[in-house]
């Protein structure tokens, strides 16, 4: 078991990952050729193949591009520098403007590059992931979704609407790529903490798949963002003339399930080896679709399962941060605020970990967990209790039904207060001050809701009101906080981005037919053991996002090895299940790393 390995994490491994995270590595080796079936201007208009001014003269001749570009040939490095310089100049020129305006301007600039030249786009993204993830992912992606109908310029991904019923099996063949490895699908019903955004939620699969390319090195020609537009219950969108989705209330019940069933059959008929990630479905459909498909298709739900693993890794980190042995996790009192797809997923996985570590039943393991939803503390007195929350309902004799967050924190004095409610600011001053009385010497506050305005509290407020000795994590990035004593309050980003790319990549390269609990647990354990004791004791629970490729390789390898142990790995390409089984841990990481796509201009070879 992983729990034993954490303390043994070697300094050498830490050095390797730092090297891996180094920026701007322009490879000097000659890349293999890329076959292209078009010529001339058609190539320039195809972002998969376009190199802009980067086409060498010989290639311009071979592909009929001569005269279609300015004569000067620029290297990829020169194009890169030119883009970064333009980006900095945008930053200078927008100084003092409202934050939303600046964020959208930056997103537009990156998006234009994405639409024009994918190779350069991903090079820029990978090498500057810390600066650009907040633009293509949370928080700016939330703003983009809110404004998507107005921002829309070019199509990306596929849209299956309620009106396409009966047509999906043929429609799926409209996608131009022969092979698809990763699909991220949403129905737009719960986009971050922003609610039902209907068709505009397509920004989320696009952003998640950008992270797949950047972190997991999935080839961008093999990713497919999907919007399943079954209507929206957002009145404002339905009234908006510019709204691009189907203008009808959401389908419900069997009608809804028939649409998703049809899509899943169509997708896996064309690409039987693909992995499908469900993202930002409202809780009832998140759980139902997960149960419906997880034994039948190779899929997982990122909000339920990915988030659970990231939170569990962070919770284990908080035990180490207190200088206590991991076995003390079983004694940690944890208050979870938000009992939706994410909150229930996290609580369930953490309870399972306690049960395993303490050798007790899952029911007994719920003792130290307190679940709060919009109606307050969940107890057995609650009428209309969500079935998923039943195991965590407290006895009202312990604390009253519906008790507020402050009441629960004052009474329980939890080690951890974890928010997945989607409600900005509910960890207000009184709640945070109550955490000063926590039974932990290093109380932990996880404000995991996205985007930034929906975080349960800001980093500054957490350190100000709960004290400088807390451990803090948020779902969207905040700056570190300067404390009065001259020390730095470290801000962690507790976001499922640390796991979903590795879960997807490990699953894909193992050729697993389904995603098992064992694979998800292996991912969480791998992340939990990634940090050194020294780092964790400084309150650093998660690695820097600059190391995301290395983390993803490690997580992917852990997932793959779990698939082999679970006997469901069927292999990938030339690598059969036996080959996978014979790989050492190090071989597995190397195998995963070798399969990561990296953006370099390949020589284009035209074939009719
Ligand atoms: N950091 C991360 O990696 C992730 C963060 N999230 C974030 O978590 C949030 C929730 O996501 P889901 O669970 O899918 O949503 P959900 O809609 O399924 O659940 C929200 C829960 O919060 C509760 N709630 C609402 N108002 C409340 C209040 N005033 N006090 C206490 N509880 C309240 C609701 O009753 C419900 O149980 C979103 O903001 C999302 O962005 C979700 C997945 C991953
Ligand atoms: C991060 C994420 O998946 C969410 O906020 O929904
Ligand atoms: Mg999500």
């Amino acid at each position: 078991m992983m729990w034993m390995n954490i303390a043994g994490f070697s300094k050498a491994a830490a050095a390797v990952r730092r090297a891996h995270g180094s920026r701007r590595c322009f490879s000097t080796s000659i890349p293999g050729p890329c076959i292209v079936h078009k010529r001339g201007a058609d190539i320039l208009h195809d972002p998969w193949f376009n190199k802009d001014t980067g086409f060498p003269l010989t290639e311009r001749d071979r592909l009929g591009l001569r005269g279609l570009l300015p004569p000067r040939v620029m290297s990829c490095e020169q194009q890169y520098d030119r883009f970064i310089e333009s980006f900095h100049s945008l930053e200078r020129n927008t100084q003092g403007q409202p934050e939303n305006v600046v964020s959208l301007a930056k997103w537009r600039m990156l998006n234009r590059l994405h639409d024009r030249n994918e190779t350069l786009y991903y090079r820029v993204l990978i090498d500057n992931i810390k600066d650009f993830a907040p633009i293509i992912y949370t928080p700016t992606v939330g703003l983009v979704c809110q404004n998507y109908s107005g921002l829309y310029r070019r199509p990306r991904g596929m849209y299956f609407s309620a009106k396409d019923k009966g047509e999906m099996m043929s429609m799926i063949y409209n996608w131009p790529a022969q092979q698809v490895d990763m699909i991220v699908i949403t129905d737009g019903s719960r986009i971050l903490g922003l609610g039902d955004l209907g068709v505009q939620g397509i920004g989320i699969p696009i952003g998640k798949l950008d992270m797949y390319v950047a972190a997991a090195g999935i080839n961008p020609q093999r990713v497919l963002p999907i919007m399943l537009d079954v209507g929206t219950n957002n009145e404002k969108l339905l009234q908006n003339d510019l709204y691009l989705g189907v203008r009808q209330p959401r389908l419900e019940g069997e009608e809804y399930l028939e649409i998703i069933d049809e899509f899943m059959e169509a997708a896996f008929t064309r690409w039987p080896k693909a992995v499908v990630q469900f993202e930002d479905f409202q809780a009832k459909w998140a759980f139902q679709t997960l149960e419906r498909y997880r034994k039948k298709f190779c899929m997982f739900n990122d909000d339920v399962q990915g988030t659970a693993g990231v939170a569990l890794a962070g919770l284990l980190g908080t035990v180490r941060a207190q200088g206590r042995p991991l076995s003390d996790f079983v004694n940690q009192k944890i208050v979870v605020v938000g009992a939706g797809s994410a909150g229930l997923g996290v609580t369930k996985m953490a309870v399972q970990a306690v049960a395993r570590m303490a050798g007790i039943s899952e029911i007994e393991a719920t003792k130290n967990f307190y679940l709060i939803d919009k109606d307050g503390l969940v107890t057995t007195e609650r009428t209309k209790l969500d079935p998923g929350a039943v195991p965590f309902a407290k006895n009202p004799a312990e604390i009253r039904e519906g008790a507020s967050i402050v009441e629960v924190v004052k009474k329980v004095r939890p080690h951890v207060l974890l928010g997945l409610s989607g409600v900005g600011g509910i960890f207000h001053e009184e709640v945070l001050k109550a955490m000063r009385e926590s039974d932990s010497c290093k109380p932990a506050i996880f404000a995991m809701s996205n985007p930034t305005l929906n975080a349960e509290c800001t980093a500054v407020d957490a350190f100000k009101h709960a004290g400088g000795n807390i451990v803090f994590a948020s779902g969207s990035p905040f700056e570190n906080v300067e404390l009065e004593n001259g020390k730095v309050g470290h801000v962690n980003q507790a976001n499922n981005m640390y796991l979903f790319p590795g879960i997807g990549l490990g699953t894909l390269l193992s050729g697993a037919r389904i995603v098992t609990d064992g694979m998800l647990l292996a991912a969480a354990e791998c992340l939990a053991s990634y940090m050194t004791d020294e780092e964790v004791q400084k309150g650093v629970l998660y690695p820097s996002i600059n190391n995301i490729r290395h983390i993803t390789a490690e997580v992917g390898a852990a997932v793959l090895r779990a698939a082999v142990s679970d006997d469901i790995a069927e292999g990938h390409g030339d690598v059969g299940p036996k080959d996978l089984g014979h790989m050492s841990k190090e071989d597995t990481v190397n195998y995963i790393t070798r399969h990561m796509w990296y953006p370099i201009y390949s020589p284009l070879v035209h074939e009719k």
Side-chain angles (χ1 to χ4, degrees), residues 96-109:
Q97 292 193 26
E99 209 178 312
N100 280 0
V101 172
V102 178
S103 301
L104 281 183
K106 289 179 177 175
W107 177 82
R108 273 198 207 89
M109 188 168 176

Side-chain angles (χ1 to χ4, degrees), residues 327-340:
S327 54
D328 205 45
F329 183 53
V330 303
N331 300 317
Q332 301 280 304
K333 290 177 285 183
I334 298 170
V335 173
V336 177
V337 181

Side-chain angles (χ1 to χ4, degrees), residues 312-324:
L312 177 59
L315 293 174
L316 293 169
T318 66
V319 182
R320 295 167 72 202
Q322 294 162 43
R324 304 192 73 86

